[in-house]
Amino acid sequence: MAYDLTGNRVWVAGHRGMVGGAVARRLAAEGAQVIEAGREVVDLVDQAQVKAWMAATRPDAIVLAAAKVGGIKANSEFPVDFLYQNLMIEANILQAAHEADVERVLFLGSSCIYPKLATQPIPEDALLTGPLEPTNEWYAIAKIAGIKLTQAYRTQYGRDWISAMPTNLYGPGDNYDLNSSHVLPALLRKFHEAKVSGAGEVVVWGSGTPLREFLHCDDLADALVFLLKEYSGYDHINVGSGVEVTIRELAEIIAEVVGYEATLTFDATKPDGTPRKLMDSGRLHAMGWNRARPLRDGIVDTYADFLAHERRHGTDD
Ligand code: GDP
């Protein structure tokens, strides 16, 4: 039977992030009462704070979108932050949710949990079948532990908790800091700044040949609400768009959306990361969700948000 979210109190852990923000908007549209708690209210790395806050708040459901996230450079430079903080956040929240008898939890991972050389498109059961991509193994190990912990509560205590693994995400509210961002917001910013300054050149990291699949965060939020309502099972579920492009093709689409033709310079001193990362979202599609928007439309929407953000704050905050 479908889980009814109407009127339910749903805590979106990580509501200030791009994904959490999108999930909170989507849940509100579903008639749920969204609970938000910033770091000043509860520090998710602190076990005692999380337990006390959860015992006092007792949400009906949780979407666990809180995480220390970053692109290829940040992951390589801050391994402790990515492994320790993510392990603590998920362990604290899941144990406190168990103690507070939270009915539904949706744990969010990422496609980097899969082996570097997994068969493509990557099915859910590729998990733990081979070595990870070293540039983001810290984050991946933490997320794999989170999936397993979610499954452990289901197995040991019968909790109706689930996990979803989104592909590479983008959209309004993304991080545009070039040292820690992912490729899509980084290239949007680089093309925009080249247009403003007339620089004529945009530097793209790596060879431009890696393939990536991209999903707009509002489409992810829609899929997550669908899963919360419809899915109850042990296995984690892939959430992708099925659309993959090379990094060079991505740069070309962004150039077109921004409206600036620049020479692409490929910086071979920067890592390519995993060569290809396309998820098999067949299980989600078979359940009835297949509503991802075309990549170009999503980038148009994201560029509009980037421009609005720049008008409000500048891009360096
Ligand atoms: P990944 O999907 O975990 O590898 O994370 P990223 O989104 O950071 O990087 C994806 C691919 O885009 C990698 O091959 C990067 O080298 C490449 N890339 C090209 N230009 C950039 C850039 O300016 N920033 C980032 N983060 N990646 C870039």
Side-chain angles (χ1 to χ4, degrees):
M1 225 181 68
Y3 181 71
D4 186 3
L5 285 159
T6 320
N8 275 10
R9 298 168 65 250
V10 186
W11 176 32
V12 179
H15 72 281
R16 290 199 177 122
M18 174 177 71
V19 172
V23 170
R25 290 193 296 276
R26 182 63 187 77
L27 281 169
E30 194 67 25
Q33 278 184 58
V34 177
I35 302 172
E36 299 175 341
R39 192 165 301 175
E40 67 290 349
V41 176
V42 53
D43 177 357
L44 301 178
V45 176
D46 184 313
Q47 186 183 41
Q49 284 192 34
V50 175
K51 284 193 177 198
W53 183 85
M54 192 83 78
T57 312
R58 305 189 79 85
D60 297 310
I62 298 173
V63 178
L64 209 172
K68 167 78 182 167
V69 296
I72 199 162
K73 184 166 185 282
N75 259 272
S76 309
E77 288 175 359
F78 304 106
V80 173
D81 295 359
F82 282 88
L83 183 51
Y84 173 76
Q85 290 186 26
N86 286 314
L87 285 171
M88 293 304 285
I89 290 169
E90 62 208 26
N92 290 344
I93 292 179
L94 293 176
Q95 177 59 23
H98 172 59
E99 289 171 12
D101 222 7
V102 175
E103 218 178 335
R104 291 282 277 163
V105 174
L106 197 174
F107 173 75
L108 272 178
S110 140
S111 57
C112 70
I113 59 161
Y114 292 115
K116 179 184 173 92
L117 301 176
T119 48
Q120 308 273 333
I122 312 171
E124 283 86 356
D125 61 13
L127 183 64
L128 293 173
T129 57
L132 298 166
E133 157 59 37
T135 52
N136 54 26
E137 67 176 342
W138 317 102
Y139 181 79
I141 292 277
K143 287 295 180 184
I144 292 169
I147 297 169
K148 287 291 158 194
L149 195 54
T150 304
Q151 292 175 339
Y153 283 100
R154 172 176 284 273
T155 303
Q156 189 172 337
Y157 297 111
R159 294 279 171 212
D160 191 6
W161 296 356
I162 57 173
S163 297
M165 298 304 118
T167 190
N168 287 32
L169 301 166
Y170 69 97
D174 210 341
N175 167 20
Y176 292 101
D177 171 58
L178 295 180
N179 283 316
S180 58
S181 66
H182 285 101
V183 59
L184 197 152
L187 292 182
L188 256 185
R189 178 175 177 174
K190 288 181 186 177
F191 272 97
H192 175 75
E193 289 179 353
K195 181 181 178 181
V196 170
S197 70
E201 181 203 41
V202 163
V203 176
V204 179
W205 295 355
S207 63
T209 59
L211 284 155
R212 291 291 184 275
E213 177 188 22
F214 293 98
L215 179 70
H216 191 283
C217 61
D218 288 343
D219 293 337
L220 171 69
D222 192 57
L224 296 181
V225 166
F226 173 84
L227 285 172
L228 260 182
K229 288 163 63 178
E230 306 292 339
Y231 178 65
S232 168
Y234 179 86
D235 293 333
H236 62 280
I237 300 294
N238 287 344
V239 184
S241 60
V243 180
E244 79 176 334
V245 290
T246 64
I247 298 302
R248 177 192 283 274
E249 285 164 347
L250 176 71
E252 286 164 0
I253 299 171
I254 290 176
E256 195 193 311
V257 170
V258 171
Y260 188 66
E261 283 304 323
T263 308
L264 300 181
T265 304
F266 292 92
D267 178 358
T269 67
K270 294 288 197 302
D272 267 345
T274 195
R276 190 178 180 204
K277 204 165 32 167
L278 174 66
M279 301 215 305
D280 180 347
S281 303
R283 294 189 64 180
L284 178 66
H285 296 168
M287 283 181 236
W289 191 93
N290 191 0
R291 294 197 280 270
R293 74 196 67 191
L295 178 59
R296 195 181 179 287
D297 293 358
I299 294 177
V300 168
D301 175 67
T302 307
Y303 186 46
D305 173 71
F306 172 88
L307 293 175
H309 179 269
E310 197 189 44
R311 272 194 301 275
R312 285 194 306 271
H313 309 289
T315 38
D316 285 327
D317 63 341

